[in-house]
Amino acid sequence: MAGVLDALASYVTSMLAEMAKEEVAMLIGVSDGIKDLSIKLGDLKNFLADVDRRNITDDSVRGWVGELKRAMYLATDIVDLCHLKAMEQGQTKDRGCLNPLLFCMRNPLHAHDIGTRIKLLNQNLDDICKRGSSFNFIKLEAYQDQKTTRSPATDRKTNSLIERSGVVGEKIEEDTRALVEVLTREAVGDKSGRLIVVAIVGIGGIGKTTLGKKVFNDEAIEGKFTKKIWLSITQDFTDVELLSTTITAIGADLPGGGGAQDKALLVDALKNSIKDKKFFLVLDDLWDVDAWNKHLMTPFSYGGPGSRVLITTRHDTVARSMKAFHPYHHVDKLAPQDAWSLLKKQVLTGEENEPEVDMLEDIGLQIIAKCDGLPLAVKVMGGLLCKKEKTRRDWQDVLNDDMWDEALLVHSGETIKKKLGAQSFLRLSIETKGVECDEFEWRYLREQKSLRTLIVTGNLKLQSGDSLVTFSSLRTLHIEGVNMAALLEYVCQLKHLRYLALKRTDMCRLPENIHGMKFLQHISLEGCESLMKLPDSIIKLQGLRFLDIDDTLVNSIPRGFRALTNLRVLYGFPAYIDGDWCSLEELGSLSQLNELSLESLENVSSALLAAKARVDAKKQLTYLGLKCGGRVGDGLVQGEVSESKEEEQMIEAVFDVLCPQPCIEYISIKRYFGRRLPGWMTSTVMVPLESLKILVLEHLPCCTQLPDGLCRLPYLEWIKVMNAPVIKCIGPEFVQQYNQLHRPSSQLAATFPKLQQMHFDGMEEWGEWVWETEVKAMPLLEVLRITSCKLGRMPPGLMSHAIALKKLTIRRVRGLHSLENFVSVVELDLYDIPELAMISNIPKLQKLTIKCCPKLEMLQEMAALRRLELRVFRRENQLPVYLPTVKPSHLLLTCSLEVLTSMAEGESSSEWDKFSHIKQVEAYAEEGGDEKKWHVLYTSESSNIQTNIHQDRLVEEEE
């Protein structure tokens, strides 16, 4: 939240401050008001981090934050309205981004309205500032080391002591090692004696101070420097305080017995205490360079050779002003598992309750996801959870608490109605999947007049009079899987809208006046199967950057489409001929495209017409999709796609000229009926596809060979070939080089000595000789996936030669009765293997997933098993008989409510002996689309069972 407000405050401040400089602002009497706004916003920015922390736990702060955010958004509305008026009057962009604002202020028709809005906003913000002063907000970093109640002035300062509970993950260790290496490296050839400065840069709460402490206390630093000094630079220091604190931190005596107030004496004392000594100075929380330039730089310049300064700051500009070593070290957000480890450290009171907390990991991960990877936000949440019981109900209450409402994300119909009636929101995400249509109606949204983002997925009930007019401030509208055609006529009234997605809806057209939506940048109509054409006026949306008409019935585009020169992403563009004009001509001038997919390329009658798309000139293109349609279907018979060789040769010629630049990273070719792949793919001399990472080839009925050129692509990571029935071989060089392959058919048999991952799909005709040959040639194979096959047994060669195999996935396989002797496999995933009866001798197996294997009765010789994930058929009324023979530390079970109810009975249950020996058990049953509606949680150490299956249900079962 602090990041959002900080960005808003910066944006509004810069825009309004520039307006205040203009003479016209003075003429309409708002110049002073604008300056006041800028000052207030600047002051507020300094405390937004602490606001974020207090917003989680303090209801009164939460209300204040809501008012502030709404004030900021009102300010952006003012700026938008000025831009809109200017664009409507034909203002051109080349006169500068502030011209629309000045245009409105100089125009008598708009000046009074804008001036009034600014004055009202200033009054509103003045009231907000007054209320905010009562909260005594302080800066966020102070709380990273807060242990006891201290004064705000003290809390602004940090020290060099490491809080061990705040250090998690290998990433911080890697970052520490990297920074220590830079700081201790001798500057070879540098005879200038210049003091080297290293910068740690990142947003508030991301862990800059913690990383700085790790570096400060590293053993390598200890041995390299004579003096180590840690200074926390607060924004309200005086020169005397700063110099005195620095001298004390060095370990020297203050002049005059400690009572000196003379700056010159203090500077001299600091110089003498550091002279000729090799020092390491940390300046923590540096907001600007005044403290360094005015007070510290001169005395510290007397230090010895090899001295170093490390700064932590939020701003690159500070690092630049300090002339810090480049590149700066930017602190990344926490990865989910590291964030979970940090949260656990905050809530654990001892090792004895770790299993209890581990069972809450799924909820914990959802909580930390809302903390956006910020360590301090995770710590604050840890402090809040410490006050709660370690139960799913209490943690779920925290997850669903209104404190997160930075928006509202709901799935239940009753929850939607209840929460929408209680408060107003800026962002709403509503999913009604699994909810009856009459449980949620559009009218429930009418009072949400402040909405900036609205996302609706699933069932929705509309009535006469429902519209979008209420949401005049919307910037983002995402509607998916909803019948909303009745609302379409109101879309164009959303003047502020930037993002419009109407995916898989019943809409059949866009409004003809869509060109009035001047700010629209993103339109996604993917999957709208009733949509047949685009409005002619779409070509006037010159700010449009994204257009997706994939999986629609759009088969033509308006002439003049080439005017959309700001397009970066274009999916589903149809190729067609109208007389001597080809739609591909419209793409020629779209030089900014990053991603492009073309449809119906079989309609192009000559390579000359295709060349007008100028794909070969698009220097920023990273994704290219080429697709034919019409007669090329999924059930095609090889060799019967085209009526003549001329058609095959024509499509080959068309694809030959759709040649991308070497910067291309992803190529997808689908339903192509040429006998050879494009020339630019077969020869790297023609086009060096040196950046290509992903190649997808699907539904190629006539193509006979994968070319040698593919083997010389240095960054190719993944290739998928699907439904290519007549490919008989791949080039000899290719098989020597490539290390990953998605295998579609047995006719591709060859040796792949560097292969690490393999996927066999639909290989009923494969004989065991193929397995023996293939696997012997794959000593580096680590991942094997077998799907949709008939296989009587796993060939012996697979077990004996796949010595590096770590992950094995088998899905939808018929005829397989046993799995044995995979001595290196650590992860096994089994799904829909109806005849499987036994799994044996997989000694290193750590994770086993079993779903839809009804005849499985025996698991043995898997002593290393740690996690078992099991889905029991609904029709099965008991736990599997093999459970007592394995001892995983964690069982994740999905079963019928009948089985779960029996488990909830504990020791009196007939299922007790099957699961009671397992250290941790999470068992769930679904209801009404909620996969975890009912649960049973168990730990063997305490024999404690937690469940939300009510006693009356248990009694009913007993009766």
Side-chain angles (χ1 to χ4, degrees), residues 855-871:
K855 293 185 179 180
L856 184 59
E857 295 182 350
M858 183 180 297
L859 299 182
Q860 60 186 20
E861 297 179 85
M862 47 184 69
L865 187 63
R866 297 175 56 189
R867 184 177 179 90
L868 174 60
E869 297 184 5
L870 178 63
R871 179 180 288 271

Side-chain angles (χ1 to χ4, degrees), residues 721-818:
V721 186
M722 186 174 181
N723 287 358
V726 296
I727 288 184
K728 297 177 181 177
C729 65
I730 61 178
E733 292 186 33
F734 183 84
V735 301
Q736 300 296 321
Q737 299 291 330
Y738 191 46
N739 73 347
Q740 288 191 29
L741 182 65
H742 178 109
R743 300 287 296 278
S745 86
S746 62
Q747 296 174 340
L748 285 179
T751 57
F752 294 84
K754 295 184 179 181
L755 194 70
Q756 296 173 358
Q757 300 186 32
M758 176 169 272
H759 180 180
F760 292 102
D761 187 359
M763 58 177 192
E764 293 192 14
E765 74 278 15
W766 284 44
E768 287 192 10
W769 67 270
V770 175
W771 284 99
E772 298 293 331
T773 303
E774 295 291 329
V775 176
K776 286 179 182 178
M778 292 182 266
L780 302 181
L781 186 68
E782 293 184 357
V783 178
L784 175 61
R785 181 181 174 97
I786 305 169
T787 60
S788 302
C789 304
K790 183 176 181 181
L791 187 65
R793 67 186 182 102
M794 299 299 287
L798 183 60
M799 285 81 86
S800 59
H801 295 294
I803 56 175
L805 189 63
K806 296 292 187 295
K807 182 174 181 179
L808 174 61
T809 299
I810 305 176
R811 298 191 164 204
R812 296 185 298 278
V813 170
R814 302 294 181 266
L816 184 64
H817 292 84
S818 66

Side-chain angles (χ1 to χ4, degrees), residues 573-855:
F573 185 90
Y576 70 100
I577 304 293
D578 184 4
D580 59 355
W581 176 84
C582 176
S583 63
L584 296 182
E585 294 179 25
E586 300 291 337
L587 300 176
S589 61
L590 306 186
S591 59
Q592 303 298 313
L593 283 171
N594 302 132
E595 301 181 23
L596 171 65
S597 70
L598 305 177
E599 305 270 336
S600 305
L601 286 168
E602 76 280 1
N603 291 333
V604 183
S605 58
S606 78
L608 289 176
L609 292 175
K612 293 183 178 181
R614 301 193 66 196
V615 172
D616 59 344
K618 303 189 188 311
K619 297 182 179 179
Q620 300 181 41
L621 199 65
T622 58
Y623 169 79
L624 177 62
L626 304 176
K627 183 178 178 181
C628 296
R631 51 183 172 259
V632 185
D634 291 342
L636 63 105
V637 178
Q638 61 190 59
E640 296 185 1
V641 177
S642 61
E643 297 180 358
S644 66
K645 281 192 175 182
E646 286 75 14
E647 288 188 0
E648 290 178 1
Q649 293 170 352
M650 178 58 65
I651 200 65
E652 289 172 357
V654 167
F655 273 58
D656 280 346
V657 298
L658 297 175
C659 170
Q661 287 271 321
C663 58
I664 199 75
E665 296 179 5
Y666 189 151
I667 294 175
S668 173
I669 295 179
K670 297 182 180 181
R671 302 178 184 273
Y672 170 70
F673 52 90
R675 292 194 177 272
R676 60 166 177 83
L677 288 172
W680 45 268
M681 289 183 66
T682 61
S683 171
T684 54
V685 175
M686 182 183 298
V687 180
L689 301 174
E690 54 196 24
S691 299
L692 189 65
K693 296 178 181 178
I694 300 174
L695 175 62
V696 175
L697 305 172
E698 293 186 14
H699 307 301
L700 309 183
C702 303
C703 188
T704 59
Q705 180 173 344
L706 295 184
D708 273 344
L710 296 180
C711 77
R712 291 184 287 271
L713 304 180
Y715 297 108
L716 191 61
E717 297 174 357
W718 176 252
I719 179 171
K720 178 179 180 180
V721 186
M722 186 174 181
N723 287 358
V726 296
I727 288 184
K728 297 177 181 177
C729 65
I730 61 178
E733 292 186 33
F734 183 84
V735 301
Q736 300 296 321
Q737 299 291 330
Y738 191 46
N739 73 347
Q740 288 191 29
L741 182 65
H742 178 109
R743 300 287 296 278
S745 86
S746 62
Q747 296 174 340
L748 285 179
T751 57
F752 294 84
K754 295 184 179 181
L755 194 70
Q756 296 173 358
Q757 300 186 32
M758 176 169 272
H759 180 180
F760 292 102
D761 187 359
M763 58 177 192
E764 293 192 14
E765 74 278 15
W766 284 44
E768 287 192 10
W769 67 270
V770 175
W771 284 99
E772 298 293 331
T773 303
E774 295 291 329
V775 176
K776 286 179 182 178
M778 292 182 266
L780 302 181
L781 186 68
E782 293 184 357
V783 178
L784 175 61
R785 181 181 174 97
I786 305 169
T787 60
S788 302
C789 304
K790 183 176 181 181
L791 187 65
R793 67 186 182 102
M794 299 299 287
L798 183 60
M799 285 81 86
S800 59
H801 295 294
I803 56 175
L805 189 63
K806 296 292 187 295
K807 182 174 181 179
L808 174 61
T809 299
I810 305 176
R811 298 191 164 204
R812 296 185 298 278
V813 170
R814 302 294 181 266
L816 184 64
H817 292 84
S818 66
L819 277 174
E820 302 176 82
N821 306 322
F822 285 92
V823 295
S824 61
V825 169
V826 296
E827 185 173 341
L828 178 60
D829 186 350
L830 306 174
Y831 173 74
D832 192 13
I833 314 176
E835 288 85 24
L836 183 66
M838 181 182 73
I839 305 173
S840 177
N841 191 23
I842 312 182
K844 295 183 179 180
L845 186 65
Q846 296 180 22
K847 181 181 178 182
L848 173 60
T849 302
I850 302 173
K851 299 178 181 178
C852 303
C853 299
K855 293 185 179 180

Side-chain angles (χ1 to χ4, degrees), residues 278-346:
K278 185 179 179 181
F279 66 83
F280 176 48
L281 170 64
V282 176
L283 300 177
D284 186 43
D285 188 27
L286 203 61
W287 284 71
D288 57 47
V289 295
D290 284 353
W292 175 253
N293 287 345
K294 295 180 179 178
H295 309 300
L296 299 179
M297 183 169 63
T298 299
F300 273 103
S301 67
Y302 286 85
S307 296
R308 300 288 187 264
V309 176
L310 176 67
I311 67 168
T312 72
T313 181
R314 296 186 186 191
H315 307 293
D316 281 1
T317 53
V318 173
R320 280 194 292 272
S321 298
M322 289 287 293
K323 299 180 181 177
F325 178 84
H326 197 78
Y328 314 139
H329 185 93
H330 286 86
V331 182
D332 295 327
K333 295 178 180 179
L334 286 176
Q337 283 304 317
D338 287 342
W340 169 240
S341 297
L342 179 58
L343 187 67
K344 279 179 61 176
K345 282 191 174 186
Q346 311 304 307

Side-chain angles (χ1 to χ4, degrees), residues 134-148:
S134 66
F135 295 116
N136 295 317
F137 290 125
I138 57 180
K139 289 177 17 181
L140 181 68
E141 282 84 347
Y143 290 92
Q144 291 181 319
D145 303 284
Q146 185 170 351
K147 297 295 184 184
T148 59

Side-chain angles (χ1 to χ4, degrees), residues 257-513:
Q261 296 292 312
D262 186 280
K263 179 181 176 181
L265 287 175
L266 291 169
V267 169
D268 195 53
L270 175 56
K271 179 188 73 175
N272 291 333
S273 65
I274 206 70
K275 188 174 183 181
D276 298 328
K277 293 182 176 66
K278 185 179 179 181
F279 66 83
F280 176 48
L281 170 64
V282 176
L283 300 177
D284 186 43
D285 188 27
L286 203 61
W287 284 71
D288 57 47
V289 295
D290 284 353
W292 175 253
N293 287 345
K294 295 180 179 178
H295 309 300
L296 299 179
M297 183 169 63
T298 299
F300 273 103
S301 67
Y302 286 85
S307 296
R308 300 288 187 264
V309 176
L310 176 67
I311 67 168
T312 72
T313 181
R314 296 186 186 191
H315 307 293
D316 281 1
T317 53
V318 173
R320 280 194 292 272
S321 298
M322 289 287 293
K323 299 180 181 177
F325 178 84
H326 197 78
Y328 314 139
H329 185 93
H330 286 86
V331 182
D332 295 327
K333 295 178 180 179
L334 286 176
Q337 283 304 317
D338 287 342
W340 169 240
S341 297
L342 179 58
L343 187 67
K344 279 179 61 176
K345 282 191 174 186
Q346 311 304 307
V347 300
L348 284 176
T349 56
E351 292 184 2
E352 67 277 359
N353 62 9
E354 185 167 2
E356 196 176 9
V357 174
D358 283 339
M359 294 184 67
L360 301 170
E361 180 176 357
D362 60 324
I363 303 176
L365 287 172
Q366 295 178 69
I367 290 173
I368 61 177
K370 293 191 173 187
C371 296
D372 198 27
L374 298 178
L376 194 58
V378 175
K379 289 181 186 179
V380 171
M381 290 312 305
L384 185 62
L385 290 169
C386 279
K387 302 174 184 178
K388 305 288 184 180
E389 293 293 330
K390 295 176 178 59
T391 65
R392 296 189 70 81
R393 176 174 294 178
D394 277 21
W395 280 42
Q396 198 77 45
D397 286 345
V398 171
L399 176 63
N400 297 327
D401 195 280
D402 286 343
M403 66 187 171
W404 304 107
D405 293 352
E406 275 104 86
L408 174 63
L409 175 63
V410 287
H411 301 272
S412 160
E414 286 303 316
T415 302
I416 293 172
K417 288 185 279 189
K418 178 182 176 182
K419 293 210 169 189
L420 289 180
Q423 67 184 98
S424 62
F425 297 91
L426 292 169
R427 290 177 292 279
L428 276 178
S429 178
I430 299 173
E431 181 179 351
T432 58
K433 184 179 181 181
V435 179
E436 294 298 323
C437 292
D438 60 355
E439 286 189 306
F440 178 71
E441 300 179 13
W442 187 263
R443 62 187 177 90
Y444 299 144
L445 298 173
R446 288 176 183 170
E447 298 305 313
Q448 299 296 325
K449 298 180 180 180
S450 300
L451 277 179
R452 317 281 289 194
T453 296
L454 177 59
I455 301 172
V456 180
T457 305
N459 299 320
L460 184 65
K461 186 173 182 180
L462 296 173
Q463 297 178 344
S464 176
D466 285 341
S467 76
L468 293 163
V469 176
T470 304
F471 316 122
S472 59
S473 294
L474 268 184
R475 263 63 173 177
T476 298
L477 177 62
H478 184 112
I479 299 180
E480 187 167 347
V482 173
N483 292 329
M484 49 73 64
L487 298 175
L488 195 63
E489 63 181 289
Y490 303 102
V491 166
C492 290
Q493 297 186 36
L494 304 178
K495 299 297 186 181
H496 296 282
L497 202 68
R498 267 78 168 168
Y499 175 105
L500 175 64
L502 305 173
K503 295 185 176 183
R504 291 180 285 282
T505 67
D506 62 340
M507 63 161 293
C508 59
R509 61 177 181 83
L510 281 176
E512 281 297 331
N513 59 343

